[in-house]
PDB file of all heavy atoms in Angstrom:
ATOM      1  N   ARG Y 216      -5.804   4.016 -20.147  1.00  0.00           N
ATOM      2  CA  ARG Y 216      -5.659   5.006 -19.041  1.00  0.00           C
ATOM      3  C   ARG Y 216      -6.963   5.204 -18.235  1.00  0.00           C
ATOM      4  O   ARG Y 216      -7.112   6.221 -17.596  1.00  0.00           O
ATOM      5  CB  ARG Y 216      -5.187   6.314 -19.656  1.00  0.00           C
ATOM      6  CG  ARG Y 216      -3.814   6.246 -20.264  1.00  0.00           C
ATOM      7  CD  ARG Y 216      -2.765   5.895 -19.234  1.00  0.00           C
ATOM      8  NE  ARG Y 216      -2.586   6.915 -18.241  1.00  0.00           N
ATOM      9  CZ  ARG Y 216      -1.704   7.889 -18.296  1.00  0.00           C
ATOM     10  NH1 ARG Y 216      -0.860   7.974 -19.321  1.00  0.00           N
ATOM     11  NH2 ARG Y 216      -1.632   8.782 -17.335  1.00  0.00           N
ATOM     12  N   GLY Y 217      -7.854   4.245 -18.291  1.00  0.00           N
ATOM     13  CA  GLY Y 217      -9.031   4.329 -17.434  1.00  0.00           C
ATOM     14  C   GLY Y 217      -8.693   4.067 -15.984  1.00  0.00           C
ATOM     15  O   GLY Y 217      -7.647   3.523 -15.673  1.00  0.00           O
ATOM     16  N   TRP Y 218      -9.631   4.447 -15.089  1.00  0.00           N
ATOM     17  CA  TRP Y 218      -9.413   4.213 -13.674  1.00  0.00           C
ATOM     18  C   TRP Y 218      -9.755   2.820 -13.297  1.00  0.00           C
ATOM     19  O   TRP Y 218     -10.508   2.132 -13.968  1.00  0.00           O
ATOM     20  CB  TRP Y 218     -10.253   5.242 -12.868  1.00  0.00           C
ATOM     21  CG  TRP Y 218      -9.728   5.334 -11.448  1.00  0.00           C
ATOM     22  CD1 TRP Y 218     -10.395   5.118 -10.344  1.00  0.00           C
ATOM     23  CD2 TRP Y 218      -8.424   5.687 -11.066  1.00  0.00           C
ATOM     24  NE1 TRP Y 218      -9.576   5.247  -9.223  1.00  0.00           N
ATOM     25  CE2 TRP Y 218      -8.363   5.623  -9.672  1.00  0.00           C
ATOM     26  CE3 TRP Y 218      -7.235   6.059 -11.789  1.00  0.00           C
ATOM     27  CZ2 TRP Y 218      -7.193   5.894  -8.940  1.00  0.00           C
ATOM     28  CZ3 TRP Y 218      -6.107   6.329 -11.061  1.00  0.00           C
ATOM     29  CH2 TRP Y 218      -6.078   6.280  -9.667  1.00  0.00           C
ATOM     30  N   ALA Y 219      -9.212   2.297 -12.150  1.00  0.00           N
ATOM     31  CA  ALA Y 219      -9.431   0.927 -11.709  1.00  0.00           C
ATOM     32  C   ALA Y 219      -9.661   0.900 -10.218  1.00  0.00           C
ATOM     33  O   ALA Y 219      -8.750   0.537  -9.466  1.00  0.00           O
ATOM     34  CB  ALA Y 219      -8.248   0.050 -12.139  1.00  0.00           C
ATOM     35  N   PRO Y 220     -10.860   1.266  -9.726  1.00  0.00           N
ATOM     36  CA  PRO Y 220     -11.118   1.222  -8.321  1.00  0.00           C
ATOM     37  C   PRO Y 220     -11.095  -0.200  -7.756  1.00  0.00           C
ATOM     38  O   PRO Y 220     -11.668  -1.127  -8.358  1.00  0.00           O
ATOM     39  CB  PRO Y 220     -12.530   1.837  -8.208  1.00  0.00           C
ATOM     40  CG  PRO Y 220     -13.138   1.685  -9.562  1.00  0.00           C
ATOM     41  CD  PRO Y 220     -12.005   1.753 -10.532  1.00  0.00           C
ATOM     42  N   THR Y 221     -10.445  -0.383  -6.629  1.00  0.00           N
ATOM     43  CA  THR Y 221     -10.310  -1.699  -6.026  1.00  0.00           C
ATOM     44  C   THR Y 221     -11.643  -2.173  -5.463  1.00  0.00           C
ATOM     45  O   THR Y 221     -12.315  -1.421  -4.774  1.00  0.00           O
ATOM     46  CB  THR Y 221      -9.243  -1.681  -4.916  1.00  0.00           C
ATOM     47  OG1 THR Y 221      -8.009  -1.232  -5.480  1.00  0.00           O
ATOM     48  CG2 THR Y 221      -9.060  -3.056  -4.281  1.00  0.00           C
ATOM     49  N   VAL Y 222     -11.975  -3.403  -5.684  1.00  0.00           N
ATOM     50  CA  VAL Y 222     -13.147  -4.065  -5.154  1.00  0.00           C
ATOM     51  C   VAL Y 222     -12.803  -4.954  -3.970  1.00  0.00           C
ATOM     52  O   VAL Y 222     -13.468  -4.961  -2.965  1.00  0.00           O
ATOM     53  CB  VAL Y 222     -13.886  -4.871  -6.242  1.00  0.00           C
ATOM     54  CG1 VAL Y 222     -15.071  -5.622  -5.663  1.00  0.00           C
ATOM     55  CG2 VAL Y 222     -14.334  -3.949  -7.390  1.00  0.00           C
ATOM     56  N   GLN Y 223     -11.723  -5.703  -4.131  1.00  0.00           N
ATOM     57  CA  GLN Y 223     -11.262  -6.582  -3.054  1.00  0.00           C
ATOM     58  C   GLN Y 223      -9.723  -6.627  -3.083  1.00  0.00           C
ATOM     59  O   GLN Y 223      -9.119  -6.658  -4.160  1.00  0.00           O
ATOM     60  CB  GLN Y 223     -11.780  -7.976  -3.300  1.00  0.00           C
ATOM     61  CG  GLN Y 223     -12.402  -8.653  -2.052  1.00  0.00           C
ATOM     62  CD  GLN Y 223     -11.331  -9.314  -1.152  1.00  0.00           C
ATOM     63  OE1 GLN Y 223     -10.222  -9.555  -1.581  1.00  0.00           O
ATOM     64  NE2 GLN Y 223     -11.714  -9.604   0.081  1.00  0.00           N
ATOM     65  N   LEU Y 224      -9.101  -6.546  -1.892  1.00  0.00           N
ATOM     66  CA  LEU Y 224      -7.663  -6.578  -1.770  1.00  0.00           C
ATOM     67  C   LEU Y 224      -7.241  -7.453  -0.619  1.00  0.00           C
ATOM     68  O   LEU Y 224      -7.699  -7.281   0.512  1.00  0.00           O
ATOM     69  CB  LEU Y 224      -7.133  -5.152  -1.540  1.00  0.00           C
ATOM     70  CG  LEU Y 224      -5.626  -4.964  -1.257  1.00  0.00           C
ATOM     71  CD1 LEU Y 224      -4.772  -5.502  -2.380  1.00  0.00           C
ATOM     72  CD2 LEU Y 224      -5.297  -3.484  -0.989  1.00  0.00           C
ATOM     73  N   GLN Y 225      -6.378  -8.421  -0.940  1.00  0.00           N
ATOM     74  CA  GLN Y 225      -5.887  -9.340   0.080  1.00  0.00           C
ATOM     75  C   GLN Y 225      -4.377  -9.177   0.152  1.00  0.00           C
ATOM     76  O   GLN Y 225      -3.695  -9.172  -0.862  1.00  0.00           O
ATOM     77  CB  GLN Y 225      -6.185 -10.786  -0.282  1.00  0.00           C
ATOM     78  CG  GLN Y 225      -7.683 -11.071  -0.435  1.00  0.00           C
ATOM     79  CD  GLN Y 225      -7.987 -12.449  -0.990  1.00  0.00           C
ATOM     80  OE1 GLN Y 225      -7.120 -13.076  -1.608  1.00  0.00           O
ATOM     81  NE2 GLN Y 225      -9.169 -12.914  -0.790  1.00  0.00           N
ATOM     82  N   VAL Y 226      -3.839  -9.041   1.372  1.00  0.00           N
ATOM     83  CA  VAL Y 226      -2.408  -8.818   1.587  1.00  0.00           C
ATOM     84  C   VAL Y 226      -1.903  -9.767   2.669  1.00  0.00           C
ATOM     85  O   VAL Y 226      -2.482  -9.841   3.762  1.00  0.00           O
ATOM     86  CB  VAL Y 226      -2.041  -7.371   1.962  1.00  0.00           C
ATOM     87  CG1 VAL Y 226      -0.559  -7.201   2.019  1.00  0.00           C
ATOM     88  CG2 VAL Y 226      -2.693  -6.395   0.957  1.00  0.00           C
ATOM     89  N   LEU Y 227      -0.804 -10.459   2.313  1.00  0.00           N
ATOM     90  CA  LEU Y 227      -0.063 -11.238   3.328  1.00  0.00           C
ATOM     91  C   LEU Y 227       1.272 -10.554   3.555  1.00  0.00           C
ATOM     92  O   LEU Y 227       2.020 -10.293   2.630  1.00  0.00           O
ATOM     93  CB  LEU Y 227       0.200 -12.673   2.801  1.00  0.00           C
ATOM     94  CG  LEU Y 227      -1.011 -13.509   2.335  1.00  0.00           C
ATOM     95  CD1 LEU Y 227      -0.530 -14.858   1.871  1.00  0.00           C
ATOM     96  CD2 LEU Y 227      -2.063 -13.656   3.444  1.00  0.00           C
ATOM     97  N   VAL Y 228       1.545 -10.244   4.799  1.00  0.00           N
ATOM     98  CA  VAL Y 228       2.846  -9.635   5.172  1.00  0.00           C
ATOM     99  C   VAL Y 228       3.677 -10.783   5.753  1.00  0.00           C
ATOM    100  O   VAL Y 228       3.340 -11.370   6.772  1.00  0.00           O
ATOM    101  CB  VAL Y 228       2.672  -8.501   6.218  1.00  0.00           C
ATOM    102  CG1 VAL Y 228       4.011  -7.891   6.546  1.00  0.00           C
ATOM    103  CG2 VAL Y 228       1.709  -7.425   5.689  1.00  0.00           C
ATOM    104  N   ARG Y 229       4.821 -11.058   5.113  1.00  0.00           N
ATOM    105  CA  ARG Y 229       5.557 -12.250   5.403  1.00  0.00           C
ATOM    106  C   ARG Y 229       6.730 -12.098   6.319  1.00  0.00           C
ATOM    107  O   ARG Y 229       7.204 -13.029   6.956  1.00  0.00           O
ATOM    108  CB  ARG Y 229       6.081 -12.885   4.065  1.00  0.00           C
ATOM    109  CG  ARG Y 229       4.986 -13.184   3.040  1.00  0.00           C
ATOM    110  CD  ARG Y 229       3.855 -14.059   3.621  1.00  0.00           C
ATOM    111  NE  ARG Y 229       4.358 -15.285   4.229  1.00  0.00           N
ATOM    112  CZ  ARG Y 229       4.570 -16.400   3.549  1.00  0.00           C
ATOM    113  NH1 ARG Y 229       4.334 -16.454   2.213  1.00  0.00           N
ATOM    114  NH2 ARG Y 229       5.053 -17.454   4.138  1.00  0.00           N
ATOM    115  N   ALA Y 230       7.271 -10.846   6.423  1.00  0.00           N
ATOM    116  CA  ALA Y 230       8.412 -10.641   7.301  1.00  0.00           C
ATOM    117  C   ALA Y 230       8.619  -9.127   7.564  1.00  0.00           C
ATOM    118  O   ALA Y 230       8.067  -8.330   6.851  1.00  0.00           O
ATOM    119  CB  ALA Y 230       9.691 -11.190   6.632  1.00  0.00           C
ATOM    120  N   MET Y 231       9.383  -8.813   8.589  1.00  0.00           N
ATOM    121  CA  MET Y 231       9.748  -7.454   8.858  1.00  0.00           C
ATOM    122  C   MET Y 231      10.704  -7.017   7.789  1.00  0.00           C
ATOM    123  O   MET Y 231      11.752  -7.666   7.550  1.00  0.00           O
ATOM    124  CB  MET Y 231      10.386  -7.316  10.235  1.00  0.00           C
ATOM    125  CG  MET Y 231       9.467  -7.625  11.399  1.00  0.00           C
ATOM    126  SD  MET Y 231       8.179  -6.351  11.622  1.00  0.00           S
ATOM    127  CE  MET Y 231       9.149  -4.957  12.136  1.00  0.00           C
ATOM    128  N   PRO Y 232      10.440  -5.849   7.117  1.00  0.00           N
ATOM    129  CA  PRO Y 232      11.366  -5.400   6.062  1.00  0.00           C
ATOM    130  C   PRO Y 232      12.649  -4.810   6.604  1.00  0.00           C
ATOM    131  O   PRO Y 232      12.606  -4.122   7.626  1.00  0.00           O
ATOM    132  CB  PRO Y 232      10.532  -4.374   5.320  1.00  0.00           C
ATOM    133  CG  PRO Y 232       9.585  -3.851   6.347  1.00  0.00           C
ATOM    134  CD  PRO Y 232       9.258  -4.981   7.214  1.00  0.00           C
ATOM    135  N   ALA Y 233      13.716  -5.033   5.882  1.00  0.00           N
ATOM    136  CA  ALA Y 233      14.966  -4.384   6.198  1.00  0.00           C
ATOM    137  C   ALA Y 233      14.895  -2.903   5.800  1.00  0.00           C
ATOM    138  O   ALA Y 233      14.096  -2.511   4.934  1.00  0.00           O
ATOM    139  CB  ALA Y 233      16.126  -5.040   5.487  1.00  0.00           C
ATOM    140  N   PRO Y 234      15.700  -2.038   6.401  1.00  0.00           N
ATOM    141  CA  PRO Y 234      15.729  -0.636   6.005  1.00  0.00           C
ATOM    142  C   PRO Y 234      16.100  -0.433   4.549  1.00  0.00           C
ATOM    143  O   PRO Y 234      16.833  -1.233   3.980  1.00  0.00           O
ATOM    144  CB  PRO Y 234      16.815  -0.011   6.921  1.00  0.00           C
ATOM    145  CG  PRO Y 234      16.937  -0.955   8.082  1.00  0.00           C
ATOM    146  CD  PRO Y 234      16.653  -2.338   7.505  1.00  0.00           C
ATOM    147  N   GLY Y 235      15.570   0.687   3.981  1.00  0.00           N
ATOM    148  CA  GLY Y 235      15.925   0.977   2.586  1.00  0.00           C
ATOM    149  C   GLY Y 235      14.760   0.799   1.617  1.00  0.00           C
ATOM    150  O   GLY Y 235      13.616   0.601   2.035  1.00  0.00           O
ATOM    151  N   TRP Y 236      15.075   0.887   0.358  1.00  0.00           N
ATOM    152  CA  TRP Y 236      14.062   0.746  -0.684  1.00  0.00           C
ATOM    153  C   TRP Y 236      13.436  -0.649  -0.685  1.00  0.00           C
ATOM    154  O   TRP Y 236      14.124  -1.637  -0.436  1.00  0.00           O
ATOM    155  CB  TRP Y 236      14.678   0.954  -2.068  1.00  0.00           C
ATOM    156  CG  TRP Y 236      15.132   2.333  -2.410  1.00  0.00           C
ATOM    157  CD1 TRP Y 236      16.363   2.857  -2.172  1.00  0.00           C
ATOM    158  CD2 TRP Y 236      14.368   3.368  -3.059  1.00  0.00           C
ATOM    159  NE1 TRP Y 236      16.414   4.160  -2.643  1.00  0.00           N
ATOM    160  CE2 TRP Y 236      15.211   4.490  -3.183  1.00  0.00           C
ATOM    161  CE3 TRP Y 236      13.073   3.392  -3.570  1.00  0.00           C
ATOM    162  CZ2 TRP Y 236      14.788   5.635  -3.790  1.00  0.00           C
ATOM    163  CZ3 TRP Y 236      12.668   4.586  -4.167  1.00  0.00           C
ATOM    164  CH2 TRP Y 236      13.492   5.677  -4.272  1.00  0.00           C
ATOM    165  N   CYS Y 237      12.152  -0.725  -1.004  1.00  0.00           N
ATOM    166  CA  CYS Y 237      11.452  -1.998  -1.302  1.00  0.00           C
ATOM    167  C   CYS Y 237      11.316  -2.063  -2.842  1.00  0.00           C
ATOM    168  O   CYS Y 237      11.244  -1.059  -3.511  1.00  0.00           O
ATOM    169  CB  CYS Y 237      10.132  -2.079  -0.612  1.00  0.00           C
ATOM    170  SG  CYS Y 237      10.177  -2.201   1.156  1.00  0.00           S
ATOM    171  N   LEU Y 238      11.205  -3.264  -3.336  1.00  0.00           N
ATOM    172  CA  LEU Y 238      11.004  -3.471  -4.771  1.00  0.00           C
ATOM    173  C   LEU Y 238       9.661  -4.171  -4.924  1.00  0.00           C
ATOM    174  O   LEU Y 238       9.430  -5.235  -4.390  1.00  0.00           O
ATOM    175  CB  LEU Y 238      12.103  -4.314  -5.418  1.00  0.00           C
ATOM    176  CG  LEU Y 238      12.122  -4.374  -6.934  1.00  0.00           C
ATOM    177  CD1 LEU Y 238      13.519  -4.751  -7.412  1.00  0.00           C
ATOM    178  CD2 LEU Y 238      11.109  -5.390  -7.481  1.00  0.00           C
ATOM    179  N   ALA Y 239       8.713  -3.523  -5.684  1.00  0.00           N
ATOM    180  CA  ALA Y 239       7.455  -4.114  -5.920  1.00  0.00           C
ATOM    181  C   ALA Y 239       7.274  -4.511  -7.390  1.00  0.00           C
ATOM    182  O   ALA Y 239       7.677  -3.751  -8.280  1.00  0.00           O
ATOM    183  CB  ALA Y 239       6.331  -3.072  -5.538  1.00  0.00           C
ATOM    184  N   GLU Y 240       6.678  -5.660  -7.639  1.00  0.00           N
ATOM    185  CA  GLU Y 240       6.357  -6.117  -8.960  1.00  0.00           C
ATOM    186  C   GLU Y 240       4.886  -6.451  -9.030  1.00  0.00           C
ATOM    187  O   GLU Y 240       4.419  -7.250  -8.186  1.00  0.00           O
ATOM    188  CB  GLU Y 240       7.171  -7.310  -9.368  1.00  0.00           C
ATOM    189  CG  GLU Y 240       6.825  -7.826 -10.810  1.00  0.00           C
ATOM    190  CD  GLU Y 240       7.633  -9.046 -11.201  1.00  0.00           C
ATOM    191  OE1 GLU Y 240       7.298 -10.125 -10.713  1.00  0.00           O
ATOM    192  OE2 GLU Y 240       8.573  -8.896 -12.002  1.00  0.00           O
ATOM    193  N   ALA Y 241       4.141  -5.869  -9.932  1.00  0.00           N
ATOM    194  CA  ALA Y 241       2.727  -6.129 -10.086  1.00  0.00           C
ATOM    195  C   ALA Y 241       2.421  -6.618 -11.491  1.00  0.00           C
ATOM    196  O   ALA Y 241       3.011  -6.093 -12.443  1.00  0.00           O
ATOM    197  CB  ALA Y 241       1.907  -4.894  -9.760  1.00  0.00           C
ATOM    198  N   ARG Y 242       1.605  -7.613 -11.599  1.00  0.00           N
ATOM    199  CA  ARG Y 242       1.230  -8.100 -12.918  1.00  0.00           C
ATOM    200  C   ARG Y 242      -0.191  -8.624 -12.922  1.00  0.00           C
ATOM    201  O   ARG Y 242      -0.729  -9.071 -11.852  1.00  0.00           O
ATOM    202  CB  ARG Y 242       2.194  -9.204 -13.417  1.00  0.00           C
ATOM    203  CG  ARG Y 242       2.333 -10.439 -12.523  1.00  0.00           C
ATOM    204  CD  ARG Y 242       3.295 -11.446 -13.136  1.00  0.00           C
ATOM    205  NE  ARG Y 242       4.625 -10.951 -13.270  1.00  0.00           N
ATOM    206  CZ  ARG Y 242       5.265 -10.845 -14.469  1.00  0.00           C
ATOM    207  NH1 ARG Y 242       4.659 -11.147 -15.580  1.00  0.00           N
ATOM    208  NH2 ARG Y 242       6.522 -10.456 -14.503  1.00  0.00           N
TER     209      ARG Y 242
END
Side-chain angles (χ1 to χ4, degrees):
R216 296 298 293 266
W218 197 239
T221 302
V222 176
Q223 227 277 344
L224 174 59
Q225 302 171 340
V226 185
L227 305 180
V228 182
R229 305 305 306 274
M231 293 291 292
W236 290 90
C237 292
L238 191 158
E240 179 180 75
R242 57 178 64 241

